[in-house]
Amino acid sequence: MKDIVETANAPAAIGPYSQATTFGNLVVTSGQIPLTPDGTLVEGGIEAQTRQVLDNLVAVLEAAGTDLSRVVKTTVFLADMNEFAAMNAVYAEYFQAPYPARSTVQVARLPRDVRVEIEALAERH
């Protein structure tokens, strides 16, 4: 059975999607962008935006009954691959070994012209 995950500790969905869904012990998050829970866009460079994205991801995962240690896969979307090292440094502050699998791709454009978006697959406790 599929369940919807919603939390006020992360920005609300701005379209016809959910912050995350669960199916059994699997949690699938929507891509998180650097909006605060009240919907304010975080200004600044890739570091500040990545930090907010990961804070949002933490909040959504907690609402689903899991945490970053249970993430098995992430996908990172970057507006500019030249910002990979800076994003990766912040990412490394949030994830510890054993690290989840990850794909990182540069895209032509992200919602609200942000620098980064991250989605995750995790196992619930």
Side-chain angles (χ1 to χ4, degrees):
M1 172 181 257
K2 180 174 78 169
D3 291 312
I4 302 304
V5 176
E6 293 181 280
T7 179
N9 296 324
I14 54 175
Y17 62 91
S18 302
Q19 291 169 320
T21 58
T22 64
F23 187 78
N25 286 336
L26 179 66
V27 178
V28 181
T29 73
S30 290
Q32 297 297 307
I33 63 173
L35 298 177
T36 62
D38 70 5
T40 304
L41 179 62
V42 170
E43 300 295 334
I46 189 69
E47 294 91 348
Q49 289 200 0
T50 301
R51 213 166 259 107
Q52 184 62 55
V53 165
L54 290 168
D55 287 346
N56 293 342
L57 193 59
V58 166
V60 171
L61 290 170
E62 286 177 354
T66 192
D67 58 46
L68 289 178
S69 72
R70 310 286 286 192
V71 171
V72 296
K73 170 77 166 75
T74 62
T75 304
V76 179
F77 304 94
L78 291 173
D80 184 352
M81 194 60 82
N82 291 317
E83 296 180 323
F84 177 85
M87 176 282 299
N88 199 50
V90 174
Y91 185 97
E93 294 172 14
Y94 285 77
F95 289 96
Q96 276 71 51
Y99 300 106
R102 179 177 76 185
S103 300
T104 304
V105 296
Q106 179 173 312
V107 295
R109 191 170 182 199
L110 289 165
R112 309 261 317 252
D113 292 320
V114 300
R115 311 296 311 147
V116 59
E117 180 175 357
I118 301 175
E119 63 184 22
L121 297 173
E123 177 186 38
R124 281 202 280 194
H125 295 283

